[in-house]
Amino acid sequence: MVAEHAGVSTAQLHYHFENRERLFAEAMTHSFARTGTELERDADTVPASVVLARILHNMLPTDPELRQDWRLWQELWVRALRDETAQHLAVDLYDQLHTWISQAIRRGIESGEFTDCDVAETSTLLLALSAGFGIRLMLGDPGVDLPAAQAAIWRAVAGTLGVPEAFPEI
């Protein structure tokens, strides 16, 4: 199915990827890199709060493409419980997410847009909240919708960052 969807032969797919695990790791890495490129497109010309809000928006299953990315993340979590290579990939990707969030927060602090805070702690909190709300959104939990999730995540750090509690327009 993967070869068919990609428009290549199964032989070509096997030539480039020695096994399913390698194909999965490459799919995760590609998806992640694509998101990073999107997030960094104009990071130097918009307020740090907009950059941070975009990151948070993209860390939730906000559209069909991001829902598919979330399915990959969920598969990675399951694989990471039983496979050391997948575990290392997951930890590395989370480290990259943490770095993106931290960079946006540091930029806001340096520009005076955000109050000085513990960047690592705030980034970790945002990652945890995004993961928790993302799971609920993926499950179709009627107790939470996207606007409520974004608002709750932003409110949790607004005081720390010294910004209004309303989720920024992205």
Side-chain angles (χ1 to χ4, degrees):
M1 287 185 338
V2 171
E4 184 179 313
H5 185 71
V8 299
S9 70
T10 55
Q12 190 175 17
L13 188 69
H14 287 289
Y15 174 78
H16 289 287
F17 304 103
E18 64 213 46
N19 56 39
R20 284 186 224 170
E21 288 72 29
R22 190 73 206 139
L23 175 61
F24 178 76
E26 289 299 321
M28 284 296 303
T29 302
H30 173 76
S31 170
F32 200 81
R34 188 185 68 241
T35 300
T37 301
E38 162 80 16
L39 294 175
E40 295 167 5
R41 70 180 184 273
D42 60 356
D44 293 334
T45 60
V46 298
S49 58
V50 171
V51 173
L52 185 57
R54 284 179 182 167
I55 292 169
L56 297 173
H57 177 82
N58 279 285
M59 288 176 54
L60 295 171
T62 54
D63 62 38
E65 191 172 319
L66 288 170
R67 287 187 71 78
Q68 184 59 37
D69 287 349
W70 261 85
R71 286 184 189 96
L72 288 173
W73 275 97
Q74 290 170 318
E75 178 65 25
L76 179 60
W77 295 333
V78 171
R79 288 175 184 230
L81 294 174
R82 64 178 184 269
D83 176 69
E84 190 173 332
T85 302
Q87 180 185 22
H88 290 297
L89 176 61
V91 169
D92 181 56
L93 293 177
Y94 270 108
D95 186 51
Q96 290 180 52
L97 279 172
H98 197 273
T99 298
W100 285 342
I101 293 169
S102 296
Q103 287 172 341
I105 293 171
R106 280 190 194 93
R107 181 171 169 255
I109 292 168
E110 290 167 6
S111 71
E113 185 180 346
F114 297 159
T115 304
D116 192 19
C117 65
D118 184 326
V119 174
E121 182 178 293
T122 305
S123 298
T124 298
L125 176 62
L126 287 170
L127 274 169
L129 289 169
S130 295
F133 278 108
I135 290 168
R136 292 182 69 189
L137 290 167
M138 286 297 290
L139 293 173
D141 183 337
V144 66
D145 61 13
L146 179 61
Q150 288 176 321
I153 293 167
W154 194 261
R155 263 193 325 274
V157 297
T160 300
L161 298 176
V163 297
E165 288 190 358
F167 192 80
E169 290 290 322
I170 55 171

